[in-house]
Amino acid sequence: MPSRESERATRAEWRELGFYYALDESSRVWRFVGSTAGLRKLCDLLQAYAEDPANQAVSEHEHYGPYGTLEIMTWPEAGIDDHSLHGSIADLLRLRELIAARLEGAAAGSVFEIGDGYAAGALFKLRFEVWEGGFDPALMDPYLSTGDG
């Protein structure tokens, strides 16, 4: 069981990220949960990744979130798998635009998926669950105790 200090740090990382994510390998889905503003932070991550000159070369990558399992990677072909959201810089910016467009006007309670629209034959889909403003992504983490630590 993680220490209270470790739990506090993990909660802070979720809150800084702005959304919760989890990989469901059996359903082949990356699940993203947050308010519209929180989920837009994924768009910000994609934009910042694309603008960083260090990420131009194939196989460059960055990990995000408290456990670092979400990876954005520069790759010759667009794709979504159990390892990463990947593609060329242009592909990743297109993914950013796809997500942003779907979030535009998305109401709390709405759910949408992105898969083949980003990469034909994508092995996994991205599922977005839009919650009310003020959503705390740390509350979704099953590894944290129910207290605020």
Side-chain angles (χ1 to χ4, degrees):
M1 184 162 177
S3 69
R4 288 180 61 80
E5 184 175 313
S6 175
E7 284 201 3
R8 250 186 247 113
T10 301
R11 278 187 179 78
E13 287 185 62
W14 280 123
R15 291 169 180 153
E16 182 181 341
L17 188 64
F19 57 88
Y20 173 79
Y21 71 83
L23 174 64
D24 181 343
E25 291 188 60
S26 64
S27 297
R28 294 182 169 256
V29 167
W30 281 94
R31 181 180 177 220
F32 295 87
V33 183
S35 65
T36 302
L39 291 169
R40 280 193 186 112
K41 289 188 175 189
L42 178 58
C43 296
D44 297 342
L45 293 177
L46 287 161
Q47 184 75 40
Y49 180 91
E51 290 175 352
D52 185 342
N55 294 326
Q56 298 299 312
V58 170
S59 291
E60 290 300 328
H61 61 278
E62 294 288 334
H63 295 268
Y64 302 94
Y67 308 111
T69 52
L70 176 61
E71 182 178 321
I72 298 173
M73 183 171 68
T74 308
W75 198 248
E77 300 89 28
I80 305 165
D81 60 24
D82 63 343
H83 178 72
S84 66
L85 316 181
H86 54 269
S88 68
I89 295 300
D91 289 329
L92 295 170
L93 288 171
R94 186 170 52 81
L95 177 58
R96 180 212 174 281
E97 292 304 316
L98 287 169
I99 296 167
R102 296 295 300 270
L103 285 172
E104 189 66 36
S110 62
V111 176
F112 63 89
E113 291 184 345
I114 293 174
D116 285 339
Y118 171 60
L123 298 176
F124 282 66
K125 292 182 180 180
L126 308 178
R127 177 176 298 136
F128 294 85
E129 300 173 22
V130 182
W131 287 42
E132 296 285 340
F135 170 78
D136 181 358
L139 295 177
M140 298 294 293
D141 189 330
Y143 301 111
L144 298 176
S145 64
T146 55
D148 197 24

